[in-house]
Amino acid sequence: MTFSKLIKPTVLAAAVMSVFSVNAETIAITNANVYTADEQGIIENASVIIEDGKIKAVNPATVEADKVIDAQGKILTPGFIGSMNQLGLVEVSAVSRSRDSSEKKADITFDASAAFNPRSTAIAYTRKGGITSNVVVPRGGDDMFKGQAFVADLSGDFNSVFSTGNAVIVDLGAKSKGSRATELTKLHNKLADAQKALDKKAEKKSDKDKKSDKEPKRSEKVINKLLSGEMPLIAYVDRATDILALIKLKEKFGLDLVVSGAGDAVLVAEQLVEAKVPVIMGAVSNLPSSFDSLHASLDNAGKLANAGVDLVFTVRGDTHNLYQLRFDAGVAIAHGMPKEQALSAITANVAEVFNINAGVIAPGKRADLVLWSGDPFELSSKVEKMWIEGVQHTTDSRHDALRDRYTTSSDMPRAYTK
């Protein structure tokens, strides 16, 4: 029996019409202080129009919508974007069967998006931090290439993953066994060999020769995308000398390079700005985690931002702490980072690095928006309303359900409810 036969035609038609009506509904958020995270800056007492999951207009002269929401002067920001974590791939870190982020034989082609669990309990909890989408990266395996990043929204829907192949992740720097020079040389040689093969192919002039070319391997296709700048290369490094070595590779091969970790980035801020290399970092790294990051400090984010480096903030440690991303940004602000740049570090800059059509409040962008009770970087503020691709979502999580269960009066023994 087919699915269509299990449901009466009138019920099925009504369900389809309901979905279309929700998507077709135009929403206006009025009287908001809109933090656009782009060149428009903050627009006071403004309106934002949402239609078909995207932002249709920002502060139009007239407001026409099916539904109007009065923000009452509160702050409206783009939905925050998490990055460089395993949200949806790891449920309980200590339980191996709930971990899908690594594979011993993983290489540059490793795409873990097929294992993403949109119903992970950590996702609803993460929404409490105003995070509406996230860049997930695998931990990979023994190879220096750990795999490819993908992007998912935090709606909890089964079609949450909306972009794959957003970056290649490579782990360099200090090694427990062996020398960092080996991995840097190996990366250089892989790029050089791939470039040589492309140059040789380009030299072939006859159609006959071109037709005789073998289909590149999957790994070769990915390397070629790095060389063309189609995919960014995210490199985990901390030491200043490693960062400089990567900048040389960028210049030689035309890479779209992004440095992650970057504990000693403050020592080479000028070179990073000149080479136009963004930095992904934890804003609250105030103590060295290794001999490669002896210059870790709470004011590093402010120093780098004021020097002109484009920053992306990530939460270091367990993926389940991702909700505190805005608090980390607040710490950076308290230690000298301009507020506008801190906002960009969890919105616009993330979208720019990973090629996501979100992160700013502008026409044509995904309608991922958050309305706040107060300053989003203050501990006391909370999410009042959240839209993911134009659909309003709750911030209720398993934590709330457990709280309600164990604080509700009942005739059952303590810790139980009816």
Side-chain angles (χ1 to χ4, degrees):
M1 183 178 291
T2 63
F3 176 74
S4 60
K5 290 181 179 179
L6 291 173
I7 303 178
K8 293 181 180 181
T10 53
V11 175
L12 183 62
V16 172
M17 289 302 295
S18 176
V19 171
F20 277 112
S21 64
V22 170
N23 289 337
E25 183 180 52
T26 304
I27 302 170
I29 305 169
T30 62
N31 300 319
N33 287 327
V34 180
Y35 285 43
T36 64
D38 69 1
E39 63 274 3
Q40 293 187 79
I42 300 173
I43 308 175
E44 297 182 351
N45 298 318
S47 299
V48 175
I49 311 298
I50 301 171
E51 186 176 76
D52 293 332
K54 289 186 168 55
I55 297 171
K56 181 181 180 182
V58 178
N59 205 26
T62 59
V63 175
E64 295 181 2
D66 300 314
K67 183 178 181 181
V68 177
I69 298 171
D70 186 355
Q72 300 178 338
K74 294 174 182 175
I75 294 174
L76 183 73
T77 68
F80 298 159
I81 308 174
S83 63
M84 307 304 290
N85 57 69
Q86 290 75 49
L87 185 68
L89 297 181
V90 177
E91 188 65 24
V92 180
S93 301
V95 179
S96 60
R97 286 182 176 269
S98 74
R99 301 194 305 258
D100 293 301
S101 61
S102 60
E103 169 61 45
K104 185 177 178 63
K105 296 182 179 180
D107 59 13
I108 196 171
T109 65
F110 182 42
D111 176 8
S113 61
F116 181 76
N117 178 20
R119 299 301 171 90
S120 167
T121 57
I123 286 178
Y125 184 57
T126 300
R127 287 200 299 263
K128 289 181 178 293
I131 299 172
T132 55
S133 59
N134 183 59
V135 181
V136 187
V137 297
R139 291 189 182 276
D142 293 338
D143 194 86
M144 67 175 176
F145 288 111
K146 301 307 175 184
Q148 301 178 27
F150 65 91
V151 187
D153 65 43
L154 303 194
S155 64
D157 296 336
F158 288 116
N159 60 348
S160 296
V161 176
F162 63 87
S163 183
T164 59
N166 292 77
V168 169
I169 313 301
V170 62
D171 188 9
L172 302 170
K175 304 296 174 187
S176 298
K177 295 181 180 179
S179 169
R180 76 184 71 219
T182 302
E183 300 289 66
L184 283 168
T185 301
K186 189 187 298 184
L187 175 60
H188 173 276
N189 291 343
K190 280 183 176 291
L191 293 169
D193 291 344
Q195 186 62 62
K196 184 177 180 180
L198 288 173
D199 293 342
K200 185 176 181 181
K201 184 177 179 180
E203 289 175 359
K204 294 182 178 180
K205 297 180 180 180
S206 70
D207 292 337
K208 183 178 179 181
D209 286 339
K210 289 182 179 179
K211 290 178 181 178
S212 67
D213 287 337
K214 293 181 180 180
E215 178 72 14
K217 296 178 181 179
R218 290 186 178 89
S219 59
E220 293 173 342
K221 290 180 179 179
V222 178
I223 288 286
N224 291 345
K225 287 183 178 181
L226 291 178
L227 291 170
S228 67
E230 187 177 342
M231 290 178 70
L233 178 69
I234 313 294
Y236 286 118
V237 289
D238 278 309
R239 203 165 79 175
T241 55
D242 293 335
I243 296 173
L244 293 175
L246 284 168
I247 289 176
K248 288 182 179 179
L249 287 183
K250 170 187 168 67
E251 294 170 348
K252 182 174 183 178
F253 296 105
L255 303 174
D256 181 4
L257 174 67
V258 183
V259 174
S260 182
D264 276 357
V266 289
L267 300 181
V268 290
E270 183 179 341
Q271 291 90 329
L272 287 166
V273 172
E274 185 177 353
K276 297 181 180 179
V277 175
V279 168
I280 302 173
M281 65 179 294
V284 294
S285 300
N286 65 330
L287 292 173
S289 58
S290 70
F291 286 105
D292 282 4
S293 56
L294 296 178
H295 292 82
S297 174
L298 289 177
D299 59 8
N300 277 358
K303 289 179 178 178
L304 288 168
N306 289 321
V309 178
D310 290 331
L311 295 182
V312 169
F313 285 153
T314 184
V315 175
R316 301 187 67 176
D318 197 291
T319 293
H320 294 71
N321 291 327
L322 178 56
Y323 80 98
Q324 71 183 33
L325 181 63
R326 67 187 181 99
F327 300 144
D328 289 7
V331 171
I333 294 169
H335 287 82
M337 186 174 189
K339 191 171 184 177
E340 296 77 11
Q341 294 187 43
L343 177 63
S344 294
I346 54 178
T347 55
N349 290 355
V350 197
E352 179 70 22
V353 166
F354 293 100
N355 193 26
I356 307 170
N357 187 35
V360 298
I361 300 180
K365 298 295 183 179
R366 279 175 59 101
D368 294 348
L369 302 166
V370 180
L371 186 66
W372 297 90
S373 64
D375 188 327
F377 300 117
E378 291 289 343
L379 288 171
S380 59
S381 299
K382 63 180 182 178
V383 175
E384 292 214 336
K385 287 183 173 60
M386 170 183 285
W387 295 267
I388 299 177
E389 205 172 9
V391 178
Q392 190 168 338
H393 286 267
T394 178
T395 59
D396 290 343
S397 69
R398 184 170 180 268
H399 297 68
D400 300 295
L402 289 171
R403 176 202 62 208
D404 294 342
R405 174 180 179 181
Y406 295 125
T407 58
T408 301
S409 299
S410 172
D411 295 332
M412 298 290 285
R414 185 170 177 79
Y416 291 86
T417 61
K418 290 183 180 179

